[in-house]
Amino acid sequence: LSPAINQLATFSRAGSERDFFSTKKLKLAVIGAGKAALQLYDSLSNSQSFELVKFYDADMESSQIKLFGFDIVRGDIIKNVTADFSEGQFDKCIISFSGDIQARTDLFEKLKGQGIQFANIIHDTAYISEHCLIGEGNLIFANVRVGPFCTLGDNNVISSACSIEHNNIIGSHNTFGPGVLFSGSCTVRDGNKFGTMIGVEPNVSIGSQNIIASSQVVTSPLGNGKLIRSKAGAEIKDL
């Protein structure tokens, strides 16, 4: 069953403060030193909240030892991140890659189990209503809008130009391609992969572990473990 749609009372309880409005600059470690790290770095360029200190990557075949002048620690990510966090080398971390949802989910949950703290990285052009509740480990890229009275869980990736309207409830470990547009009072559970240029109608409920291909308008509820895509592809022919 879908959770109750967010109401004003949801946001008036104690402990609803969000650390992404903090003015304290924290030391940040990034997990993943591949292509996705470049997009993440763009979101940190003007950050007043975080100071990048180190990258971690599991790829032992690469000879690259630095990215943007910062060290890349290669090998067992869980072991290396946990050891450095215990030594106070960073305050919070973030996972940069988004293509493999299960790997991203496993890393987040294992590191949380070790007491590692995660940051929310929010591009300075994004608009996040102060009347929202947001978990941790979320990546929110340029020109995203999250409207009032929304709840966002943990470890989500929200690509550029997405819009999440009022009173939406978004779970954890979801990835959203560019230009995903939600109307109001929708619910999304966990581990879903959204393509690009997707619209979701009001009051639609989406379960977990679904793939919603690009260029869809979702008008009806979706359960768990489903693939939704257009039946016919675009026609390409000579003029």
Side-chain angles (χ1 to χ4, degrees), residues 24-25 28 66 105 153 159 163-164 166-167 172 193 198 207 212 221 227:
K24 181 182 177 182
K25 210 157 192 177
L28 179 74
K66 287 185 180 292
T105 301
S159 297
S163 179
I164 300 174
H166 62 89
N167 300 91
S172 298
K193 184 177 183 67
I198 293 170
I212 298 92
L227 168 65

Side-chain angles (χ1 to χ4, degrees), residues 2 53 80 89 93 101 121 125 135 153 162 184 198 205 219:
S2 299
V53 294
N80 292 332
Q89 294 191 28
C93 71
I101 291 180
I121 302 302
T125 63
C162 288
I198 293 170
S205 176
T219 61

